[in-house]
Amino acid sequence: MMLARTEEDLLNTRGHLIRAAVSIALVGAAGCSAATAGSGVPGPAATVPASPSASASGPAPKGQSTGRYLVFYAEGKREAALKAVQDAGGELDGGDERLGYLIARIGDPERVGADPSVVGVTPDRPIGMASSALAARRAPAPAPAGHRPGVLPSGGQGPVKPEPLAHLQWDMEMIGATATGSYAKARGKRSVLVGVIDTGIDATHPDIAPNFNKELSRSFLPAGVSSAADGHRGKDCGRTGCAEYAGVDGEGHGTHVASTIGSPINGLGIAGVAPDVSLVDLRAGTDEGLFFLKPTMDALAYAADVGIDVVNMSFFVDPWQFNCTDNPEDSPAERLDQRGIIEGMRRAVDYARRHGVTLITAIGNTGIDLGRPERDGMSPNYPKGAAKVRRIDNSCITVPTELDGVISVTAVGPSGNKAGYSDYGLEQADIAAPGGDLFDTASPIVGVRRGILAAAPESVLRAARRIDDKGNPRDASVVRDCRGGTCAYYRYLEGTSMAAPHVTGVAAIIIGRFGVPGKGGLTMDPAEVERLLYASAMPKACPAAGGSGSGGRADQVCEGGKRKNGFFGHGIVNADRAAVISR
């Protein structure tokens, strides 16, 4: 589930995660087919070929081999797990030895899960792709070669002019990503590969195209389906991904995230935190904004294999907001499902980190202390109508937010106060960044401009009727900038989804400064990137008397000191300081 918020959410259901990310004014992923031949991208090693099959939306009835599952086995127990599948009447349908799981058609997942060799059994849920309305836009136009006129050479330093809409980017001013700040010192490099696991990136957007890396971009959604409800029909993109539909974003969330990270300095619209990096589309989110386990794991493993330097993850893995390994209020099959999600993502995260990928995620938008959760009323969020209210405790975790090795980002509004919707926690919060906050009355900024402005696909805005037939925005939530016959669109969003890419951009600046030649371009130890992120952040203490979030959220209590606390982690990320920090 994507972690951005709508105006309706703000006004009516403040504090709860939403199911889809749209603009503050209620502005409304594509799939894939066979990978491009001869791409030169290395394929996965030690994988088991998988054949297409029907997908399960939940545990299959006992005795009916209609469900497709991911069966995670303990280290060295593959053969024992395979025997457990076969003994239960199941059929092997693939797998991945590096992440330690089988893909199998199983009629009795509980029987398989009871075997001591098995640590989790998770349905391989249906995955969506571009709707039929987007069919004509599946193959994006080629991105322009290099930077647009007026852009300094990649990795260069020196004075630059502010972008035309820079005056609307309070977020960049807050973190020092300005013409007189980090842009004049370090802006990342073309050899820094930034992966965006999201709903896609609009590669044709004029303020993204110059930095879009078409060669490495992939979709990890199976081909031939139009929505999550349709199920699998066609090629499973698997660990190598499908290239054909990369560069398309039918929802807009991923485009906004990518723009905040790396929109170029080109005399049009805005600039991102690291305007000279390469943006790689790692599509794993459905049209509905759902992120299921297998495509998310596939995207992370692919990022590791091809040398991606840093990955942004502004979502949690569906369908469980909180994953509990042994909650008595869940059925045995549900417990197996959640164990599989935790274990599968833990293995994918570990694999990526071992291969030099720095991992950054949005912490979440429920406005709660993740160290003291008590209730989950929105899980499972798929299929529709399956959610139930259940009691939970701190043994239950959000994924990937609470996994070791992942940098979790809280959100602040334009005043620098923690946004009331942002989750927090002394253990869970690592760093803070601008995410926007419509209720931040401590700021002189008013209205929708309290959100984060970044790129929006024109097609999404037209479909949602946020622009008229002549291309004019219908309200203040959408901004258009036209220069030299080229027009580009931008929209305001808020959420921890918007905070995380600011940190990802600063990580890219650090890698551009200190990375060494490696697979894909540069490489740098994720632990060292993390250390410099925290060292260059601006420390921020808890509000007085323990403090509360914005918007009168007195129920939110900040714990910890100035150097590390539950609202701001190690402080608010700072691009200008990262551009000059020494190791």
Side-chain angles (χ1 to χ4, degrees), residues 364-390:
N365 298 341
T366 55
I368 65 172
D369 183 346
L370 293 182
R372 297 180 175 87
E374 297 177 351
R375 177 181 175 273
D376 179 5
M378 63 175 295
S379 300
N381 63 4
Y382 184 87
K384 186 176 181 180
K388 60 182 181 179
V389 177
R390 58 181 185 150

Side-chain angles (χ1 to χ4, degrees), residues 29-33 126-140 198-201 219-231 233 237 242 244-252 281 283-290 459-460:
C32 60
S33 68
I127 307 298
M129 59 170 272
S131 66
S132 57
L134 295 171
R137 295 189 290 276
R138 286 175 179 168
D198 217 295
T199 59
I201 299 174
S219 172
F220 296 89
L221 305 181
V225 296
S226 61
S227 74
D230 288 336
R233 294 195 217 123
C237 293
C242 293
E244 183 175 340
Y245 300 127
V248 179
D249 182 7
E251 202 287 329
D281 183 1
R283 183 189 308 277
T286 72
D287 288 351
E288 298 90 344
L290 297 170
S459 59
V460 171

Side-chain angles (χ1 to χ4, degrees), residues 208-505:
I208 286 179
N211 288 348
F212 184 76
N213 188 315
K214 182 179 180 181
E215 179 184 2
L216 291 180
S217 292
R218 294 287 186 275
S219 172
F220 296 89
L221 305 181
V225 296
S226 61
S227 74
D230 288 336
H232 287 295
R233 294 195 217 123
K235 180 179 175 61
D236 182 343
C237 293
R239 293 285 297 277
T240 56
C242 293
E244 183 175 340
Y245 300 127
V248 179
D249 182 7
E251 202 287 329
H253 186 272
T255 297
H256 196 282
V257 166
S259 176
T260 296
I261 296 167
S263 275
I265 298 174
N266 59 354
L268 179 70
I270 68 168
V273 178
D276 282 354
V277 299
S278 293
L279 297 168
V280 182
D281 183 1
L282 304 175
R283 183 189 308 277
T286 72
D287 288 351
E288 298 90 344
L290 297 170
F291 290 75
F292 294 133
L293 179 61
K294 186 176 183 299
T296 306
M297 291 192 304
D298 288 342
L300 283 169
Y302 173 84
D305 291 340
V306 300
I308 303 296
D309 296 298
V310 55
V311 162
N312 190 94
M313 301 184 289
S314 288
F315 60 87
F316 71 75
V317 177
D318 297 288
W320 302 92
Q321 180 190 1
F322 287 91
N323 291 271
C324 311
T325 59
D326 198 25
N327 190 334
E329 298 191 10
D330 295 332
S331 70
E334 289 173 334
R335 296 178 207 174
L336 283 170
D337 182 10
Q338 294 167 81
R339 290 171 193 166
I341 291 172
I342 293 172
E343 185 63 19
M345 281 299 292
R346 182 188 66 78
R347 294 179 184 186
V349 162
D350 288 348
Y351 183 82
R353 286 265 298 188
R354 289 197 308 271
H355 287 77
V357 185
T358 297
L359 302 169
I360 294 168
T361 189
I363 196 170
N365 298 341
T366 55
I368 65 172
D369 183 346
L370 293 182
R372 297 180 175 87
E374 297 177 351
R375 177 181 175 273
D376 179 5
M378 63 175 295
S379 300
N381 63 4
Y382 184 87
K384 186 176 181 180
K388 60 182 181 179
V389 177
R390 58 181 185 150
R391 290 170 294 179
I392 59 174
D393 57 29
N394 198 30
S395 67
C396 303
I397 64 173
T398 58
V399 176
T401 294
E402 297 187 74
L403 296 177
D404 290 342
V406 176
I407 299 169
S408 297
V409 185
T410 64
V412 300
S415 70
N417 292 332
K418 188 190 80 67
Y421 61 77
S422 177
D423 290 344
Y424 60 100
L426 186 57
E427 296 177 14
Q428 294 81 10
D430 293 317
I431 196 167
D437 188 355
L438 190 62
F439 289 87
D440 191 355
T441 56
S443 166
I445 299 173
V446 298
V448 295
R449 290 190 178 186
R450 291 173 179 161
I452 304 298
L453 186 70
E458 180 178 350
S459 59
V460 171
L461 300 181
R462 287 191 181 279
R465 299 187 59 78
R466 302 316 311 173
I467 56 179
D468 63 23
D469 292 341
K470 295 182 179 180
N472 298 308
R474 294 181 182 271
D475 57 61
S477 72
V478 178
V479 179
R480 181 175 68 169
D481 187 47
C482 298
R483 311 280 163 172
T486 298
C487 291
Y489 290 90
Y490 307 84
R491 63 175 176 174
Y492 286 99
L493 285 174
E494 68 159 18
T496 54
S497 274
M498 287 59 253
H502 290 85
V503 178
T504 300

